[in-house]
Amino acid sequence: MIILAWLAAASFGGPLFGKIDEVSSNDRTAYLPESADATTVQTALDDFLGSDAIPAVVVFSSDGDIDETTQQELTTALEDATDAEGILEGSSPVLVSDDGQAAQAFVPIATDGEVGEITTTLSETLRETVPSGIEVYVTGPAGFTADLIAGFAGIDGILLLVALLAVLVILVIVYRSLLLPVIVLSTSLFALCVALLVVWWLAKFEVLLLSGQTQGILFILVIGAATDYSLLLVARFREELRHTDDRWRAVGGAWRGSFEPILASGGTVIAGLLCLLLSDLKSNSTLGPVAAIGIVFAMLAALSFLPAMLGLFGRAAFWPRRPVYDADLAAHPNPLEGNGLWQLLARGIRRRPRVIWVATTVVLAVAAIGVVQLKADGVPQSDLVLGASEARDGQEVLGEHFPAGSGSPVYVLVDADRMQDAADVLLADDGVEGVSITAEDSPSGSAPVTADGITALGPPGTPAPEPTEIDGTVLLQGTLTAAADSAEAEQTVADLRAELDPLGAKVGGVTATAVDTNTASIHDRNLIIPVILVVILLILMLLLRAILAPVLLILTTVLSFGSAMGVSALVFNGIFQFPGADPAVPLFGFVFLVALGIDYNIFLMTRVREESQRFGTREGVLRGLAVTGGVITSAGLVLAATFAALSVIPILFLVQLAFIVAFGVLLDTFVVRSLLVPALSYDIGKAIWWPSKLSRSEPAGPGAEDAA
């Protein structure tokens, strides 16, 4: 019944993989706080401009001069190309640059259509119809949006395929079995399908915001977490099968032994993710509940579907390496016997615990120094997508012949009676090339503004157009001299805001959106990281019934995170030569590395505590390490591989996150959990459980603390 219930739910969620773009959005403005100036201005744009459109800037470049004949041919080609579905009325005339080597036009693209497909079709159509010798580029906000859409296009296909194949290969190597990897992978897939079903409908009813970035993280997180939880339960099941010949009794023992660590692990991740709800930036705050839903179903699948499947197949699931019931082993199990890797490591820790934990701490601390090289203050929009980009190339050509900010103006919303004062501020700024105002009775929908007021269009004596006024406000547009996503443009916006603030004006547009996004990201990072640490610390205290152990686990995990970020900074700057990083990269890296990295310490220390209650702390540390070593290492490899799969999506943020989390998880798995935590815990002894009863008294006998 349990298996059938999961199968039925997954059959409804599976078909939604190809339909996520119906309920998702990659509009950066949609994720800003409602109080941000850019959000206020964006809300007013539809009223002033009369349409819900995103502008595309079409750039034509030529080796020779563009004469009147060529200009007319470009105009005809543009008129034919813009007479297509998804392109709104109001395209500008083809304007030739002063040097005669290039021309540009502005084309409004409907935001309720497939912006990527419409933009691509526009570009392809123009290339086929323009005169020979003319290069065509579609750039501007619509062009960069099309780049993002194309970058995220592989999430439903290649990302999922690469992640699943990576997990499958690791599972086959770990289990050396044919059936068990399929059972574990099915657990992860069913969890993802049902999570997607819930998330899709919540996004459909606008309860949650969903973006390509959030979608990719959800996929990876559910597959990685569900597989990790499954590995833990399967390891306990294999262990129980050696102690009993009854498969259902083995399932029950495995479930009881895995329930607390899986619940604590999942609860820790969920608590960390829900801390993102404190974020001002909606792209962060909406990721929290979306990813938390995924973790919930990852836990449910590992604790219900997987045990049902294991009980159904029993020892046959491990074929051809079936666990054999051993009566002597059941009576006197000793995981420290033998010469396996983890037994040898446990003996090494017994001999030199202090040398091991001090040496690993020093190495991690040195690696963490590299974090000062991390450049996480934002990147230009043109660098968000890796690889070839028509929009990026077009922006470079545009900047060579026109004001680089053409097509992505700075918008100023100001009271009508202060219009000229605001215009004077814009005109006086060296970062602004020209100023216009929205005017309904103007043929082009706008009119130039000079120091003398609104300029009349037409023959001498033509009256100046009246500006469009909505609720007592008017909308000014300033053409930036620098590219809209450049540091120079951002500085211009900052200067304008400082000068326009006394006038009560609000500044918006593409550049202002980037500025507000970075500001909100930095605020979120500084607020949420300490909150997550406190929340996870409290959970660990409840789980381990101690104070000292949780504090030390948090400190080691933070040290591991610092080391991962330090190495990542050096790799990003020196090897990949990335232009920088989004301010949200350290935050997301922290959330996943700390919340997920603490999982392995939970898996280890819950087993150590269990063994310590029987054999004493020092013996319990060694036994816990020997028993959990293989499964936790496998889990770390799976999680690192799944996050590494994010790098197949050519989005800078996801590639950086993929490296940080994959490297950090491996560091945490092979260094922190295998060496630092066990050696430190062994060196401290029973005091690690302070102030619980276990820190004051322990069982006496062979292997107990007093004997050790």
Side-chain angles (χ1 to χ4, degrees):
M1 292 297 294
I2 291 173
I3 294 171
L4 289 175
W6 275 99
L7 183 60
S11 67
F12 286 102
L16 297 177
F17 277 106
K19 300 180 179 180
I20 297 181
D21 58 343
E22 297 178 7
V23 295
S24 65
S25 169
N26 293 303
D27 179 10
R28 297 180 75 183
T29 309
Y31 294 94
L32 284 173
E34 294 182 1
S35 59
D37 283 3
T39 307
T40 303
V41 174
Q42 184 65 33
T43 302
L45 283 183
D46 292 346
D47 294 331
F48 278 99
L49 302 182
S51 66
D52 187 11
I54 181 171
V57 181
V58 179
V59 182
F60 306 96
S61 68
S62 173
D63 293 335
D65 290 337
I66 298 179
D67 54 24
E68 292 185 4
T69 301
T70 304
Q71 182 180 5
Q72 183 57 49
E73 290 176 336
L74 294 178
T75 299
T76 302
L78 184 67
E79 290 175 349
D80 293 340
T82 54
D83 188 21
E85 185 177 356
I87 298 179
L88 304 176
E89 295 182 359
S91 297
S92 74
V94 174
L95 305 175
V96 179
S97 61
D98 292 339
D99 61 11
Q101 303 269 312
Q104 68 170 341
F106 305 106
V107 178
I109 307 293
T111 56
D112 56 357
E114 298 291 339
V115 175
E117 293 181 10
I118 297 169
T119 303
T120 301
T121 301
L122 173 63
S123 177
E124 293 174 349
T125 303
L126 285 172
R127 284 195 177 87
E128 294 173 356
T129 55
V130 297
S132 60
I134 300 291
E135 295 289 335
V136 178
Y137 306 90
V138 177
T139 184
F144 286 115
T145 299
D147 278 353
L148 283 174
I149 293 172
F152 285 120
I155 283 182
D156 287 346
I158 188 171
L159 173 62
L160 202 55
L161 180 62
V162 169
L164 293 175
L165 283 176
V167 172
L168 180 61
V169 169
I170 293 173
L171 291 177
V172 170
I173 294 173
V174 168
Y175 292 129
R176 283 168 280 183
S177 164
L178 298 178
L179 183 58
L180 195 55
V182 175
I183 293 175
V184 172
L185 209 56
S186 297
T187 303
S188 301
L189 270 176
F190 281 17
L192 179 57
C193 287
V194 180
L196 182 61
L197 176 65
V198 174
V199 168
W200 194 92
W201 282 104
L202 289 175
K204 177 74 172 178
F205 289 109
E206 299 182 355
V207 177
L208 297 173
L209 275 173
L210 193 61
S211 67
Q213 176 178 292
T214 303
Q215 175 189 342
I217 292 174
L218 173 68
F219 285 8
I220 292 303
L221 196 59
V222 173
I223 293 173
T227 305
D228 277 6
Y229 303 151
S230 299
L231 285 167
L232 181 64
L233 191 137
V234 169
R236 291 300 291 248
F237 181 59
R238 186 202 296 267
E239 190 178 334
E240 293 292 332
L241 286 175
R242 293 195 177 102
H243 300 162
T244 178
D245 57 356
D246 186 320
R247 60 178 175 174
W248 287 110
R249 184 177 298 172
V251 169
W255 194 91
R256 287 189 296 273
S258 305
F259 176 78
E260 186 177 38
I262 288 177
L263 188 65
S265 172
T268 301
V269 178
I270 290 171
L273 289 168
L274 291 182
C275 288
L276 291 173
L277 288 171
L278 300 173
S279 171
D280 278 349
L281 205 59
K282 293 179 183 177
S283 56
N284 293 345
S285 63
T286 56
L287 173 65
V290 169
I293 289 170
I295 295 296
V296 167
F297 285 105
M299 289 193 299
L300 289 176
L303 290 172
S304 59
F305 176 79
L306 180 61
M309 292 290 287
L310 294 177
L312 186 65
F313 287 96
R315 285 179 168 80
F318 294 89
W319 183 86
R321 298 170 56 88
R322 302 186 185 192
V324 179
Y325 170 61
D326 187 332
D328 292 336
L329 180 64
H332 305 287
N334 188 352
L336 296 177
E337 293 181 352
N339 293 311
L341 172 63
W342 302 106
Q343 287 77 17
L344 293 174
L345 184 58
R347 292 168 197 161
I349 290 174
R350 189 198 296 272
R351 289 192 298 268
R352 296 285 188 273
R354 188 164 300 175
V355 172
I356 291 174
W357 76 257
V358 169
T360 53
T361 300
V362 170
V363 171
L364 292 172
V366 170
I369 296 175
V371 78
V372 299
Q373 301 295 320
L374 183 66
K375 298 180 290 186
D377 53 358
V379 293
Q381 185 182 23
S382 56
D383 289 323
L384 292 179
V385 178
L386 301 175
S389 167
E390 179 184 339
R392 187 190 306 126
D393 295 341
Q395 180 172 280
E396 292 177 0
V397 173
L398 184 69
E400 294 173 2
H401 304 281
F402 294 94
S406 299
S408 302
V410 58
Y411 293 105
V412 177
L413 191 66
V414 65
D415 290 342
D417 57 355
R418 296 187 170 182
M419 181 271 292
Q420 190 60 51
D421 293 335
D424 290 340
V425 170
L426 290 168
L427 292 167
D429 196 297
D430 293 336
V432 178
E433 177 75 12
V435 180
S436 63
I437 191 168
T438 305
E440 290 182 357
D441 54 352
S442 170
S444 63
S446 64
V449 179
T450 66
D452 297 325
I454 301 174
T455 302
L457 299 175
T462 303
E466 289 294 324
T468 302
E469 185 175 329
I470 297 176
D471 296 330
T473 60
V474 294
L475 184 69
L476 291 167
Q477 302 178 38
T479 301
L480 297 169
T481 57
D485 62 351
S486 64
E488 294 83 357
E490 292 184 2
Q491 185 59 52
T492 296
V493 166
D495 294 341
L496 290 175
R497 281 179 165 172
E499 295 182 57
L500 291 169
D501 184 64
L503 302 178
K506 296 187 180 297
V507 180
V510 172
T511 308
T513 296
V515 171
D516 289 346
T517 298
N518 290 341
T519 301
S521 290
I522 294 171
H523 165 270
D524 294 346
R525 184 178 68 200
N526 296 339
L527 169 67
I528 294 173
I529 286 178
V531 173
I532 291 176
L533 284 176
V534 172
V535 169
I536 293 179
L537 179 62
L538 293 175
I539 292 175
L540 289 176
M541 288 179 178
L542 293 173
L543 175 66
L544 299 177
R545 288 85 159 173
I547 294 178
L548 182 58
V551 169
L552 292 177
L553 291 180
I554 286 290
L555 290 176
T556 58
T557 305
V558 170
L559 178 60
S560 175
F561 167 72
S563 302
M565 293 302 299
V567 172
S568 297
L570 298 177
V571 171
F572 293 165
N573 297 338
I575 298 178
F576 297 140
Q577 296 184 340
F578 288 146
D582 190 277
V585 165
L587 173 62
F588 279 42
F590 182 86
V591 169
F592 294 123
L593 276 183
V594 172
L596 294 172
I598 209 73
D599 281 2
Y600 303 130
N601 284 330
I602 288 175
F603 292 166
L604 170 65
M605 294 305 288
T606 51
R607 188 58 182 261
V608 167
R609 188 175 186 278
E610 180 182 329
E611 299 291 338
S612 298
Q613 291 172 330
R614 299 173 59 196
F615 301 101
T617 297
R618 288 199 167 103
E619 185 73 8
V621 168
L622 302 182
R623 284 173 172 263
L625 175 62
V627 171
T628 63
V631 63
I632 294 178
T633 300
S634 302
L637 288 172
V638 166
L639 193 62
T642 51
F643 265 93
L646 277 174
S647 61
V648 302
I649 304 299
I651 303 297
L652 179 63
F653 177 90
L654 294 181
V655 171
Q656 291 176 326
L657 188 64
F659 182 87
I660 290 170
V661 177
F663 177 78
V665 166
L666 293 177
L667 188 68
D668 203 72
T669 302
F670 289 100
V671 179
V672 177
R673 192 270 315 157
S674 299
L675 297 172
L676 178 55
V677 171
L680 181 60
S681 301
Y682 188 94
D683 195 20
I684 294 174
K686 65 182 181 181
I688 195 81
W689 306 114
W690 181 85
S692 69
K693 181 180 178 181
L694 194 58
S695 68
R696 298 188 298 274
S697 62
E698 289 190 315
E705 172 124 356
D706 53 357

